[in-house]
Amino acid sequence: VMGSQDGQRKRQRTEDDALGGLYAFLPPPDPAKDAAAKAQVEKSLFKRPKLPTEDPTRVIFLDVDGVLLPSGSVDTIVIDGVCLPMRAVRESDFSISALGNLRSIVQQTGAMIVLSSEWRRTNELRSSINAVLKSHDIPQFRERTEVLSPKPVLQKHNGILAWCERRAREIGLWLRAHPEVTAWVALDDLDFAWADSVRVAGTPWIKYRSVHTDDKKCITETDAAEAVRLILNPPPEPRHAPKKPPQLEEVPASEFAGLLCSTEDSMPDRIGSAEGVCPAPWPDFHGWCSERASAKARDILGMGAASEATISMLR
């Protein structure tokens, strides 16, 4: 029986060959040509402009949440005052378009990346963001701003204000240590008009050199174009203090009498370690979390121990 079946298959192949076969019109396989064609397709799909040599005089201060990672994409939990992802952050959580727009900024300016996000606080978070940058052919950051403590007088009044002002001081401290930097931009979903409204001598104006991203959309093409403009054509410093944000218009000047001064800002207190927690509580934390997506809460590290109610809410 086996021999009969083999004979039938051979006769069938002979008949197919005689008729030319279904695929007889195709040329014989050429592995080398096929490989070259595949490589060409991949090249056309993933071709990216070559990155220039890094220019140490140009800097991008990079936030992560709301800039590369859309708000709400990862749930967080507060443990001992530190907001952490409830699971490992995956590359798929990040905005692909935002990463492409960040690369475009670097490609057009040669600026180096300095991490100003709360992702700088732990080795795990720093490694995670660097791995994502590397996979998208974006230079990894080698520098990060130092973590400072929020000012109690601001923290007492408004947690967001204290947070913005703290980040502005952190950027200013880094810039003072790197006088070679002549052009920079801050990519952040925080509105630095808040920080500028309570600025003291020794802290730079930030708003005029920042790109305020939509925390859901992250870096858009329009944001990238604005960042490139600010780096290539640094604007002059503001001559007058900017108008207070609407949320602060009704705050009496006496609230900040001890903060707004004309003398050089003294060296701020520092949080001793990556896991350090500022002892001062943040009264507005609960209200703020209810107004903002929980993913951004990761960016509030060192703000005092959280209650069970906060942990439940973030879950």
Side-chain angles (χ1 to χ4, degrees):
V1 177
M2 184 65 72
S4 175
Q5 290 178 344
D6 291 342
Q8 290 177 357
R9 282 197 292 269
K10 290 179 180 178
R11 285 195 298 274
Q12 182 64 42
R13 285 197 297 271
T14 302
E15 291 173 1
D16 289 342
D17 293 341
L19 295 174
L22 182 60
Y23 304 106
F25 66 93
L26 294 176
D30 186 336
K33 185 178 291 186
D34 290 345
K38 181 179 179 181
Q40 183 61 35
V41 170
E42 291 178 348
K43 183 178 180 181
S44 64
L45 289 175
F46 303 102
K47 186 177 181 180
R48 294 166 172 161
K50 183 179 179 181
L51 294 176
T53 301
E54 187 175 270
D55 185 344
T57 68
R58 296 174 174 176
V59 166
I60 298 168
F61 290 103
L62 181 66
D63 185 21
V64 174
D65 294 303
V67 176
L68 298 178
L69 187 69
S71 291
S73 59
V74 180
D75 290 331
T76 58
I77 187 170
V78 180
I79 300 176
D80 294 331
V82 178
C83 290
L84 299 172
M86 293 180 65
R87 61 167 173 79
V89 179
R90 298 186 292 264
E91 184 174 339
S92 59
D93 295 322
F94 289 80
S95 167
I96 301 301
S97 61
L99 287 163
N101 290 327
L102 174 61
R103 189 185 188 282
S104 177
I105 298 171
V106 175
Q107 188 271 322
Q108 295 181 67
T109 65
M112 64 179 287
I113 295 174
V114 174
L115 192 65
S116 55
S117 167
E118 304 306 323
W119 282 60
R120 72 205 135 132
R121 289 180 180 260
T122 69
N123 288 327
E124 182 179 2
L125 291 174
R126 290 195 298 269
S127 297
S128 295
I129 186 60
N130 259 341
V132 171
L133 295 177
K134 182 178 180 180
S135 69
H136 288 266
D137 193 31
I138 301 172
Q140 298 178 329
F141 68 88
R142 295 194 301 274
E143 295 268 356
R144 63 182 187 272
T145 56
E146 187 173 354
V147 178
L148 306 180
S149 298
K151 293 196 171 183
V153 65
L154 293 180
Q155 199 171 15
K156 177 181 178 181
H157 172 72
N158 187 293
I160 298 294
L161 180 61
W163 185 9
C164 290
E165 191 277 337
R166 173 175 66 87
R167 185 161 292 181
R169 274 188 292 124
E170 292 166 346
I171 290 174
L173 181 64
W174 191 93
L175 286 171
R176 288 201 297 273
H178 298 80
E180 71 278 6
V181 175
T182 58
W184 54 272
V185 66
L187 302 179
D188 212 302
D189 66 342
L190 290 175
D191 186 351
F192 282 111
W194 287 60
D196 286 354
S197 70
V198 292
R199 169 186 174 270
V200 297
T203 299
W205 301 106
I206 302 292
K207 179 65 176 179
Y208 82 114
R209 288 206 193 192
S210 70
V211 174
H212 184 197
T213 63
D214 183 310
D215 65 324
K216 296 290 187 181
K217 299 178 181 178
C218 298
I219 307 173
T220 63
E221 290 185 5
T222 300
D223 293 335
E226 176 64 5
V228 170
R229 183 188 70 80
L230 291 172
I231 294 173
L232 297 184
N233 300 286
E237 285 197 356
R239 294 185 177 181
H240 306 285
K243 186 178 179 180
K244 283 185 179 181
Q247 298 89 336
L248 300 180
E249 283 294 340
E250 299 180 1
V251 178
S254 59
E255 285 280 346
F256 306 120
L259 176 70
L260 299 176
C261 58
S262 59
T263 57
E264 183 70 15
D265 193 21
S266 59
M267 189 61 68
D269 294 335
R270 293 175 172 79
I271 295 176
S273 67
E275 291 73 34
V277 178
C278 177
W282 187 10
D284 292 338
F285 182 75
H286 294 76
W288 180 83
C289 283
S290 67
E291 297 171 1
R292 294 283 297 254
S294 62
K296 187 60 189 177
R298 177 191 303 108
D299 232 2
I300 318 170
L301 303 178
M303 292 296 184
S307 66
E308 287 299 323
T310 304
I311 295 176
S312 299
M313 177 175 60
L314 288 178
R315 283 175 180 164

